[in-house]
Amino acid sequence: PRSPHAPVKVPPPAAAAAPVSPPAAHVQVERSQSHAGVAASAKKGAASDDDDDADEEDDEGGDDDDDAGNDGKDDDDGDGEKPLDSRAAHHKEGWRRASIVVATRKLLHENVRHQMRLKHLEADLKDIGSFGRRVDAHARKVADETDSPALSKALGQMWKEFRKYSTPFLLDDLEEKQRRLQARAPMLREELDVAQAKLRGHYSVPPA
């Protein structure tokens, strides 16, 4: 009989099974397939890159063609303007010279009319009696409307004094304006003569 204090012998654990390696041929096939897949992917990527480059070149070529077309259109627009023929240009120049004659003649006529108005105003300023009679007539109208002869008489006297003290300054201003107009008139006449001569000379020569 076994003693209760005797040690129990435990059998050693079984050795772990060694991993089974796949056959060498199978490994070689898998490696070949892997390399083939990588190569196919690389070729596909390269083809995609080539297509993208070709598309970009096509786009650039299209833009260049558009630019060239636009440039050609601009050239056509610039060259499409036909110059005026000699007859039309001749008539256009004639109208321009005629307009200068008309404008210069108008300035000369305005100068003469302005001088005449200044002369009439100067004569009126120097005619004290005529101005006094006009003031008296206006004062009588004021007296009739206001029924106040004293007021109308005071207003009439005030108007005469205003005219008396302002006449010297007005005459000086009128004389200065007349001097400027008189100095300008000969220049306008000369400009008119030159413009008329140019207009006659222009139409004396037929267009080429």
Side-chain angles (χ1 to χ4, degrees):
R2 181 180 299 178
S3 173
H5 300 286
V8 178
K9 293 183 179 180
V10 179
V20 181
S21 59
H26 183 69
V27 173
Q28 186 68 25
V29 170
E30 288 183 354
R31 289 180 179 177
S32 298
Q33 291 178 353
S34 176
H35 288 308
V38 171
S41 299
K43 289 182 180 181
K44 185 175 181 181
S48 178
D49 294 338
D50 294 338
D51 293 339
D52 294 338
D53 294 338
D55 292 338
E56 291 179 357
E57 291 178 357
D58 293 339
D59 293 339
E60 292 177 356
D63 294 338
D64 295 337
D65 294 338
D66 294 338
D67 295 339
N70 293 329
D71 294 339
K73 186 176 180 181
D74 295 338
D75 295 338
D76 294 340
D77 294 339
D79 298 337
E81 296 180 358
K82 295 182 179 179
L84 296 175
D85 55 2
S86 59
R87 188 178 298 276
H90 187 267
H91 287 303
K92 185 177 181 180
E93 179 64 18
W95 279 109
R96 188 185 70 81
R97 297 189 181 189
S99 64
I100 295 175
V101 172
V102 172
T104 308
R105 184 183 292 114
K106 183 179 180 181
L107 290 175
L108 180 59
H109 290 172
E110 290 179 354
N111 182 287
V112 173
R113 286 196 298 268
H114 199 182
Q115 288 190 53
M116 293 178 63
R117 287 196 297 268
L118 292 179
K119 288 181 179 179
H120 289 306
L121 183 56
E122 182 182 5
D124 182 71
L125 288 173
K126 292 180 179 180
D127 190 358
I128 300 175
S130 176
F131 178 75
R133 289 190 294 271
R134 291 200 303 269
V135 170
D136 292 338
H138 193 64
R140 286 194 295 269
K141 290 182 180 179
V142 172
D144 294 339
E145 292 177 358
T146 60
D147 196 15
S148 176
L151 176 61
S152 63
K153 184 178 179 180
L155 290 175
Q157 189 64 28
M158 182 180 64
W159 292 332
K160 290 178 182 179
E161 290 180 357
F162 282 164
R163 180 64 172 266
K164 176 182 177 181
Y165 293 116
S166 63
T167 296
F169 301 100
L170 294 175
L171 289 175
D172 291 340
D173 184 63
L174 291 178
E175 290 175 359
E176 179 63 25
K177 290 181 179 179
Q178 286 180 351
R179 282 195 295 268
R180 290 199 299 266
L181 292 173
Q182 290 172 359
R184 177 62 175 159
M187 299 172 62
L188 291 173
R189 291 191 180 93
E190 183 178 358
E191 292 177 4
L192 179 59
D193 293 339
V194 172
Q196 289 176 341
K198 289 183 178 180
L199 181 61
R200 287 192 297 267
H202 177 73
Y203 282 106
S204 64
V205 179

